[in-house]
Amino acid sequence: MEDEPGFIVKFFDKAYETLNIVELTTAPVAAISGVSESDAEALNTAFNIKTVGDLATNKYVRIAQSISCFSDCSGQILDKGFESDEFVEIAIKPVSAISGVSEGDATLLKQAFRINTIKDLAENKYVAIAQTTVSLASLVQFLRTMGVS
């Protein structure tokens, strides 16, 4: 099984295009095209995110994605008597509404990536690139264990 990064490499800076998919997960978050060193420092300061893998699996990102998904689907999962605009509107609350995300952290996210709301964090393109990279690397590692080459 080849573990070359394939198409995903187009989302990374040129200096990282020779890394295999598993190595990309441990690359610094600034390796993602469009993430500057100062953006990476903001992520490190706010959430101790240093690598692509850290960004992909960050608990606040995952909480934001869960809230956003629940908000999007709340009208489909709750009986009419329990529906509430509050569930729909939760995703548009400021990212600092997530327990553990300070106003200072929210300010850093806004400066680095224009993230204002929980939904913005959940749907951030750099998060999507990091999560796709980690998912592909996990698939490659799984296939290796299955003897697929």
Side-chain angles (χ1 to χ4, degrees):
M1 158 114 296
E2 290 292 323
D3 59 356
E4 293 179 20
F7 76 91
I8 199 73
V9 78
K10 77 178 194 172
F11 298 104
F12 286 84
D13 290 339
K14 191 163 184 65
Y16 296 90
E17 68 184 18
T18 60
L19 297 182
N20 69 44
I21 193 72
V22 176
E23 292 169 332
L24 282 174
T25 66
T26 60
V29 74
I32 299 172
S33 293
V35 178
S36 69
E37 290 294 334
S38 64
D39 296 340
E41 185 55 38
L43 288 174
N44 186 26
T45 300
F47 300 124
N48 197 32
I49 293 172
K50 295 180 176 98
T51 68
V52 171
D54 293 342
L55 179 58
T57 59
N58 178 267
K59 74 177 183 178
Y60 300 113
V61 166
R62 295 173 83 181
I63 289 168
Q65 289 173 330
S66 298
I67 290 169
S68 183
C69 181
F70 179 77
S71 177
D72 289 347
C73 299
S74 64
Q76 300 166 4
I77 58 176
L78 298 173
D79 288 335
K80 292 282 184 209
F82 295 97
E83 285 183 13
S84 169
D85 288 341
E86 185 176 320
F87 293 128
V88 174
E89 294 173 4
I90 194 167
I92 60 172
K93 293 196 181 296
V95 72
S96 60
I98 298 172
S99 180
V101 178
S102 71
E103 288 293 333
D105 297 338
T107 298
L108 290 171
L109 289 172
K110 183 175 183 173
Q111 290 171 347
F113 301 114
R114 294 186 293 259
I115 291 173
N116 293 302
T117 67
I118 292 170
K119 190 168 195 72
D120 291 343
L121 179 58
E123 297 178 352
N124 180 269
K125 68 180 178 181
Y126 304 116
V127 168
I129 291 166
Q131 289 178 330
T132 300
T133 302
V134 168
S135 293
L136 289 171
S138 294
L139 176 60
V140 165
Q141 290 174 320
F142 171 76
L143 292 173
R144 279 189 193 144
T145 64
M146 300 302 293
V148 177
S149 56

